[in-house]
Amino acid sequence: MPSVTWGVVQGKKEKLVNRVIICDYLKGLGIIPDELESVELPSTVEVMKERIEFLQRMGLTIDDINEYPLMLGCSVRKNIIPVLGYLEKIGISRSKLGEFVKSYPQVLHASVVVELQPVIKFLRGLDVERQDIGFVLQKYPELLGFKLEGTMSTSVAYLVSIGVCPRDIGPMVTQYPYLLGMRVGTMIKPLVDYLVSLGLPKKIVARMLEKRPYVLGYDLQETVKPNVDCLISFGIRREALASIVAQYPLILGLPLKAKLSSQQYFFNLKLKIDPERFARVIEKMPQIVSLKQNVIMKPVQFLLERAIPSEDAAMMVVKCPQLLALRAPLMKNSYYFFKSEMGRPLKELVEFPEYFTYSLESRIKPRYEMLKSKGIRSSLNWFLNCSDKRFEERLEGDYIESESLGPSFCMGGKLDLPGCEILSDEEDKSDDEDEVLFRRTVSL
């Protein structure tokens, strides 16, 4: 009679033989089975063949399987199909499931109920829109492997603590989901502290991150600090750094030295603007570093073709760098009205180049007609450089007061590049002292 342990021993021997047969089969396909020693494999070659063919139908190659051979330990019916079905349900199209698994094959081991659903619920709790869930996960699939009580929660809590509006966390995650994987102590907080040290209040940093969360991805030591040092080396004043960053946060992550060197040389050669005045241009409009040189030349060429001396054209650019982002056709219309209807000398344009940045139809024409009807003659600055309410008060006054500084605009406002007219967001009406930095006085 066989002993009690006979069946157990025979079972182990049979499993070992089957494992050797399956490993030989994998080697024959070009799959290296070394990492599968501790993984429970199917009992027959037919089942393993089914798994491999299923993965190949998804678009995975033998090389992809070799990148993460542990996926061969997943059952098609118990693991792969339920996970893929859930991913498709939350917004990842079937045609992209293969790419998703390639980028994050560990998802095939996950439990839909225990691991995947809680992450999706967490994202929805952050106000990530349902239709954006698939987009977020395709950008950062590793989110599905994070623990809710870990990095994701602490990064969100810290951002809210510095003033980020909780309702904006969802849009931030949608735009830049990687922030959920960033450690507060080693990545987020050091960057925020450094920006504050440049003169940016935390409230302004919070507003900046709400609109441009990708700034959190800039490496502080390798990119941000070297770029700030680069700005200073090109003549930018330290007190202007906060203003520049608030206007154009992208400048912290650009290959800045090469861009500044190229633009400085171009301004000196073509526009006759020396390095010192070039630094003033960057302080007023840091987006200049990203403008293409052929785009810059179009408005300048327009001015030169109107018999404006090159020295005066350079002075106009230094005084109002926004000219360089305007479209020549719009400038042409404004110039035609200036010469034909207003009949003013070119000297006034040189003194007030901001004239070109105002809308011809909504500001210049209506206000000029009102002045004309009252028989008032004033400078361009006096009747353009004020709010509608202030303009009405000026028309009702018995005298023309002295000209004041230009209006303020919202720093970091929209700028269509290349070659579009300047567009700015509606000005913030808050009188909070911290908000003053987010607004800059310029003549527009």
Side-chain angles (χ1 to χ4, degrees):
M1 295 293 291
S3 67
V4 175
T5 59
W6 180 85
V8 176
V9 173
Q10 287 298 104
K12 286 184 177 180
K13 287 183 178 180
E14 186 176 344
K15 282 186 177 181
L16 185 59
V17 171
N18 289 338
R19 188 177 190 88
V20 171
I21 294 173
I22 290 174
C23 287
D24 288 340
Y25 168 72
L26 294 176
K27 290 177 182 178
L29 296 177
I31 298 173
I32 304 171
D34 297 352
E35 295 184 33
L36 299 175
E37 290 183 4
S38 59
V39 177
E40 183 178 349
L41 298 178
S43 57
T44 65
V45 171
E46 286 72 21
V47 176
M48 178 59 75
K49 182 179 179 181
E50 179 190 18
R51 294 182 183 182
I52 294 173
E53 289 178 348
F54 188 92
L55 294 171
Q56 288 179 325
R57 285 196 299 272
M58 289 174 55
L60 275 70
T61 64
I62 297 299
D63 289 337
D64 295 326
I65 295 174
N66 274 325
E67 287 290 325
Y68 188 75
L70 296 179
M71 70 175 72
L72 296 178
C74 297
S75 166
V76 172
R77 292 168 183 80
K78 294 180 180 179
N79 301 104
I80 301 178
I81 290 179
V83 168
L84 295 182
Y86 183 70
L87 293 177
E88 187 174 2
K89 179 182 177 181
I90 61 176
I92 300 175
S93 64
R94 184 170 299 184
S95 61
K96 295 181 179 179
L97 286 175
E99 289 299 321
F100 188 88
V101 172
K102 285 182 187 180
S103 60
Y104 187 59
Q106 293 89 338
V107 72
L108 297 179
H109 297 286
S111 164
V112 171
V113 176
V114 177
E115 297 171 274
L116 302 187
Q117 287 183 354
V119 173
I120 303 306
K121 186 177 180 181
F122 178 82
L123 293 176
R124 292 287 293 126
L126 296 179
D127 283 341
V128 177
E129 297 293 338
R130 190 179 303 276
Q131 64 268 22
D132 293 329
I133 293 289
F135 172 76
V136 168
L137 292 178
Q138 287 179 78
K139 288 182 72 174
Y140 195 32
E142 289 83 359
L143 279 178
L144 292 173
F146 287 174
K147 300 297 182 183
L148 303 186
E149 66 277 7
T151 305
M152 289 200 294
S153 297
T154 54
S155 59
V156 170
Y158 177 76
L159 290 172
V160 172
S161 74
I162 65 171
V164 172
C165 179
R167 290 177 298 178
D168 287 316
I169 294 292
M172 288 174 66
V173 170
T174 302
Q175 183 181 348
Y176 192 74
Y178 309 102
L179 67 87
L180 293 178
M182 294 179 175
R183 295 187 177 277
V184 171
T186 58
M187 298 184 71
I188 301 178
K189 187 176 185 298
L191 178 62
V192 171
D193 290 345
Y194 181 72
L195 294 177
V196 171
S197 74
L198 295 179
L200 284 158
K202 278 190 177 180
K203 181 178 289 188
I204 305 307
V205 174
R207 299 290 86 75
M208 186 173 73
L209 294 179
E210 286 172 1
K211 301 298 181 184
R212 300 167 181 84
Y214 56 79
V215 171
L216 292 170
Y218 295 155
D219 188 279
L220 179 60
Q221 301 300 332
E222 298 294 329
T223 306
V224 177
K225 286 185 176 180
N227 276 2
V228 170
D229 293 339
C230 179
L231 287 169
I232 294 173
S233 70
F234 274 83
I236 304 300
R237 294 170 295 186
R238 287 186 178 274
E239 57 269 25
L241 290 174
S243 165
I244 288 174
V245 173
Q247 288 187 71
Y248 193 45
L250 183 64
I251 204 168
L252 295 175
L254 294 173
L256 194 55
K257 186 173 182 180
K259 285 183 174 289
L260 281 175
S261 298
S262 174
Q263 295 293 56
Q264 185 188 72
Y265 177 78
F266 176 78
F267 270 64
N268 198 15
L269 179 67
K270 296 292 186 180
L271 308 184
K272 309 303 178 186
I273 295 176
D274 58 44
E276 183 179 351
R277 292 195 296 169
F278 173 75
R280 304 292 82 79
V281 169
I282 297 299
E283 289 177 359
K284 293 178 180 178
M285 185 180 170
Q287 292 92 339
I288 290 290
V289 300
S290 298
L291 273 178
K292 293 182 179 180
Q293 294 173 356
N294 65 317
V295 173
I296 291 174
M297 281 306 299
K298 289 180 180 179
V300 174
Q301 194 63 40
F302 172 85
L303 297 175
L304 297 176
E305 289 172 356
R306 269 64 191 175
I308 297 177
S310 58
E311 296 81 4
D312 289 343
M315 185 175 68
M316 293 172 73
V317 169
V318 173
K319 189 174 182 182
C320 181
Q322 287 78 10
L323 287 175
L324 301 179
L326 296 177
R327 290 185 295 188
L330 295 181
M331 295 179 70
K332 183 178 180 180
N333 294 338
S334 297
Y335 178 81
Y336 178 79
F337 183 82
F338 175 84
K339 291 298 291 182
S340 63
E341 298 296 327
M342 300 171 69
R344 298 191 176 212
L346 279 177
K347 180 183 177 183
E348 292 196 33
L349 279 182
V350 174
E351 293 174 351
F352 191 70
E354 296 86 347
Y355 167 84
F356 288 107
T357 67
Y358 292 102
S359 168
L360 177 62
E361 298 299 329
S362 64
R363 176 164 292 197
I364 298 176
K365 279 185 178 181
R367 291 194 179 185
Y368 176 72
E369 294 300 330
M370 294 174 71
L371 286 179
K372 189 177 178 181
S373 66
K374 289 182 172 290
I376 299 175
R377 179 173 177 82
S378 69
S379 69
L380 297 174
N381 188 8
W382 187 86
F383 83 88
L384 291 175
N385 187 19
C386 59
S387 65
D388 289 338
K389 182 179 179 180
R390 185 61 176 153
F391 178 67
E392 292 175 2
E393 292 174 352
R394 288 179 173 181
L395 287 181
E396 295 171 1
D398 296 328
Y399 66 96
I400 297 179
E401 78 240 10
S402 60
E403 294 172 357
S404 60
L405 292 175
S408 55
F409 72 94
C410 188
M411 287 167 62
K414 297 176 183 177
L415 174 65
D416 284 349
L417 299 179
C420 290
E421 68 274 19
I422 298 293
L423 299 172
S424 62
D425 291 328
E426 182 178 353
E427 291 185 4
D428 188 353
K429 304 271 175 99
S430 173
D431 291 327
D432 192 294
E433 290 183 2
D434 283 348
E435 296 292 344
V436 172
L437 183 58
F438 208 61
R439 303 154 66 91
R440 176 176 179 145
T441 300
V442 293
S443 297
L444 280 179

